[in-house]
């Protein structure tokens, strides 16, 4: 069967199309991604304005057309922190449904952490033992820990790279005092959660997902994405600590010229690096491994888990949402 996952995130709206069936790994067939940056379109009252809603509707329509063109039997549609935390979230969801027929499922932060953990567990397998999974998005940081497929602990913190950049780092290059203030804020937020995880003992393996971690690992010498999914990629805390002051001294344009850093993500990279550094330090992580699978794959795997072996989707479910 061919499935699509439509992810309305804080930075992008991303349609991932995969070929999958129960018991097998989902194989990517197509990716359609549009930058929207909903987290940065909120007005002072925390609402997504009319222009942002209209743009979201247009992008969702475009993604549905791409899913139909690629032969998707089902499209799983969800939204994360930017929509979840908008003060007019209900109105936005109604507008999208009325205009496109798509009923976006709004995932809680804990749901995000648990589904991302599931994807990491399936990727690394049982031999990885106790997993600690970190995921930096545009609006939030997810942390999950456990030995099974469902984590023993899962939290979501408002420490996304886009959110923090907008709120704390308005200048280019960033003001050193603003960087110090953000560093204190990030570490204080993360420190509140460390005790919840430490009672389960030390993890056997620490992994990270998300574009932010992938870009930081690339800066630290990890293989390029063109070398494939199955190349092991690591990020060492020492390398990250060396890069943070360099990123702090750069303009956004200068960061955009670094290897592996996309122009659209360059502005957020410093805030993301501060979150990554704080998490690795406070959790005592010296080295982590980058996981190619994340939230979207977790959503697909959970959907497949609810199908009986050998089941086929009903042809009438060409676009199932939520």
């Amino acid at each position: 069967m061919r499935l699509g996952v439509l992810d309305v995130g804080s930075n992008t709206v991303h349609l991932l199309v995969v070929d999958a069936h129960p018991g097998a790994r989902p194989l990517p067939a197509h990716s359609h991604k549009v930058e929207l940056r909903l987290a940065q379109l909120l007005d002072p009252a925390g609402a997504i304005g009319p222009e942002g809603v209209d743009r979201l509707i247009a992008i969702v329509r475009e993604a549905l057309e791409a899913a139909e063109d690629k032969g998707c039997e089902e499209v799983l549609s969800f939204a994360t922190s930017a929509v979840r935390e908008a003060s007019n979230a209900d109105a936005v969801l109604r507008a999208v449904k009325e205009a496109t027929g798509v009923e976006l499922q709004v995932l809680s932060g804990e749901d995000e952490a648990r589904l991302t953990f599931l994807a990491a567990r399936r990727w690394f397998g049982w031999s990885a033992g106790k997993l600690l999974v970190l995921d930096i998005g545009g609006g939030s940081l997810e942390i999950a820990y456990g030995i099974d497929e469902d984590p023993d602990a899962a939290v979501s913190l408002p420490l996304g790279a886009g959110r923090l950049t907008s709120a704390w780092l308005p200048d280019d290059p960033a003001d050193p005092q603003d960087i110090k203030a953000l560093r204190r804020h990030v570490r204080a937020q993360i420190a509140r959660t460390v005790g919840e995880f430490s009672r389960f003992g030390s993890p056997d393996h620490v992994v990270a997902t998300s574009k932010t971690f992938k870009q930081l690992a690339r800066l630290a010498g990890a293989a390029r994405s063109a070398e494939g999914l199955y190349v092991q990629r690591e990020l060492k805390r020492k390398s990250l600590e060396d890069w943070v002051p360099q990123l702090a001294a750069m303009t956004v344009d200068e960061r955009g010229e670094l290897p592996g850093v996309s122009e659209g993500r360059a502005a957020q990279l410093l805030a993301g690096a501060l979150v990554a550094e704080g998490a690795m330090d406070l959790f005592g992580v010296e080295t982590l491994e980058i996981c190619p699978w994340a939230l979207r794959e977790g959503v697909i795997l959970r959907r497949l888990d609810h199908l009986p072996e050998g089941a086929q989707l009903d042809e009438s479910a060409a676009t199932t949402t939520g």
Side-chain angles (χ1 to χ4, degrees), residues 18-52:
V18 300
D19 291 320
H21 65 269
R25 70 186 189 279
L27 298 174
H30 179 70
S31 178
H32 178 85
K33 185 187 301 184
V34 180
E35 287 193 355
L36 181 57
R37 303 201 178 283
L38 278 177
Q40 298 177 24
L41 295 178
L42 301 179
D43 64 23
I48 300 173
E51 182 178 348

Side-chain angles (χ1 to χ4, degrees), residues 171-194:
D171 299 328
D172 184 24
D175 183 283
Q177 294 304 312
D178 290 341
I179 296 173
K180 289 181 180 179
L182 176 56
R183 184 178 186 274
R184 287 194 299 269
H185 171 73
V186 165
R187 287 172 176 256
Q189 291 278 318
I190 296 173
R192 294 173 186 168
T193 71
V194 172

Side-chain angles (χ1 to χ4, degrees), residues 152-168:
D152 296 312
V155 300
S156 178
L157 302 176
L159 297 177
R163 176 202 296 267
L164 296 179
T165 300
S166 298
W168 293 81

Side-chain angles (χ1 to χ4, degrees), residues 302-322:
R302 181 57 52 82
R303 175 71 182 97
L304 293 176
D305 286 348
H306 286 82
L307 291 177
E309 191 72 31
Q312 297 294 320
L313 293 172
D314 191 316
E315 290 184 1
S316 65
T319 302
T320 300
T321 59

Side-chain angles (χ1 to χ4, degrees), residues 237-321:
R237 174 152 51 109
K238 179 61 171 64
S239 297
L240 180 57
E241 290 172 345
D242 290 341
W243 266 103
V244 168
Q246 297 181 60
L247 294 173
M250 293 179 179
T251 64
V252 171
D253 288 343
E254 289 170 338
R255 288 185 219 132
E257 295 176 355
L258 294 170
V261 178
S262 63
E263 182 180 346
R265 300 272 184 159
Q268 303 180 15
L269 190 59
L270 174 57
L274 291 171
V275 175
E277 180 190 37
M280 292 181 75
D281 186 10
L282 290 166
F283 279 95
V285 177
E286 295 298 329
T287 303
L288 56 76
E289 186 172 356
I290 304 300
C291 179
W293 282 1
L295 177 59
R296 285 179 290 275
E297 287 79 8
V299 170
I300 291 169
L301 292 167
R302 181 57 52 82
R303 175 71 182 97
L304 293 176
D305 286 348
H306 286 82
L307 291 177
E309 191 72 31
Q312 297 294 320
L313 293 172
D314 191 316
E315 290 184 1
S316 65
T319 302
T320 300
T321 59

